[in-house]
Amino acid sequence: MNFEKLLSGGDLRSIGKCEKVIAQVRTQKDFDNLFAYLFHADRLVVMRAADALEKITRVHPEYLAKHKKEMFALFASAGNKELKWHIPVMMARLEFSGTEFKKVWKGIVEWLYDKNNSKLVRVGALQGLYE
């Protein structure tokens, strides 16, 4: 399934057609396809894909499990704030070993207290810690 057209267009102030994307994700395969857009070159596409994935994992957190390694990589390297808004909340929906949990907790706390992060990134970090 090609989500690019639904995720593109407009500007960063809009979630565009995310609800249509969410409605089309019915299986793990659909989710995996959408997840790949987190690595897209267009920041707008990444933001909307992250928004849709975060909303989908509220109902289907199990879809995220096979992407644990990629989520750790995104957590370590995310540069744009629009992606960082969603990462802590999605990280909270994964299962971790004790060591992994400590690493994630520490990283999210750092995002929370980093005043260079936007307020929305910091709110997402707080929500991730809560969850």
Side-chain angles (χ1 to χ4, degrees), residues 41-90:
D42 184 339
R43 180 176 172 185
L44 178 65
V45 170
V46 172
M47 177 195 75
R48 291 180 179 160
D51 183 65
L53 290 164
E54 190 270 317
K55 289 173 180 171
I56 292 164
T57 59
R58 289 177 192 166
V59 178
H60 294 287
E62 71 277 6
Y63 286 172
L64 196 55
K66 76 181 273 188
H67 299 285
K68 184 175 174 179
K69 186 183 233 183
E70 294 160 295
M71 286 299 298
F72 266 107
L74 287 168
F75 187 49
S77 67
N80 74 60
K81 64 185 176 185
E82 296 84 13
L83 176 57
K84 290 175 84 171
W85 294 341
H86 302 283
I87 289 176
V89 177
M90 289 194 291

Side-chain angles (χ1 to χ4, degrees), residues 11-30:
D11 61 47
L12 290 168
R13 293 173 292 174
S14 164
I15 61 168
K17 298 176 182 167
C18 279
E19 295 304 319
K20 287 185 179 184
V21 170
I22 292 167
Q24 291 183 21
V25 176
R26 296 183 188 101
T27 66
Q28 179 72 52
K29 185 176 179 180
D30 296 337

